[in-house]
Amino acid sequence: QVQLVESGGGLVQAGGSLRLSCAASGRTVSSYALGWFRQAPGKEREFVAAISWSGGTTYYANSVKGRFTISRDNAKNTVYLQMNSLNPEDTAVYYCNAAETTGRIKVRGGDYWGQGTQVTVSS
């Protein structure tokens, strides 16, 4: 029902910024909560951020709070993750996720996932 495609990843120097995009498609995709996860090699997948369908409610992991901002443009069916003050600990594959509620995303993620985009932060 929902298809997700991430873009915007790349290589950036520590202290720099990147903006990730996730294009969503589906007949009723605008009604879904959207979010981001990340996974570094050999580590568990971790929640990063989530946003409600209206954009009025957002959640962030403590590790990114104050540095990352999640937003969405329902006219374009796209969710963004603006990442500032990046450090090498942010290096991971970032995955877009969709679910019916933000709570579902925070707990373990929804049923719909993108294929991921690589973010690498160098010293």
Side-chain angles (χ1 to χ4, degrees):
Q1 186 174 356
V2 177
Q3 295 79 45
L4 305 169
V5 180
E6 303 95 335
S7 63
L11 176 64
V12 64
Q13 187 176 347
S17 299
L18 283 174
R19 188 175 78 158
L20 305 183
S21 299
C22 174
S25 62
R27 192 169 64 182
T28 59
V29 66
S30 63
S31 67
Y32 281 78
L34 298 170
W36 293 91
F37 287 76
R38 66 186 183 184
Q39 187 170 26
K43 295 187 177 182
E44 297 289 331
R45 179 189 64 195
E46 67 173 338
F47 167 77
V48 176
I51 187 168
S52 63
W53 70 268
S54 67
T57 302
T58 58
Y59 298 96
Y60 297 94
N62 290 335
S63 60
V64 306
K65 189 176 180 66
R67 299 188 298 122
F68 292 8
T69 302
I70 188 170
S71 62
R72 66 189 295 168
D73 184 344
N74 287 344
K76 298 180 179 179
N77 291 327
T78 300
V79 62
Y80 305 96
L81 186 68
Q82 178 66 47
M83 305 185 294
N84 298 326
S85 301
L86 287 163
N87 60 67
E89 297 300 316
D90 297 314
T91 295
V93 177
Y94 284 70
Y95 297 93
C96 187
N97 181 248
E100 294 182 355
T101 65
T102 53
R104 174 70 172 82
I105 294 177
K106 288 196 299 179
V107 172
R108 64 183 179 93
D111 292 335
Y112 305 102
W113 298 87
Q115 292 189 334
T117 184
Q118 177 71 48
V119 173
T120 302
V121 184
S122 63
S123 300

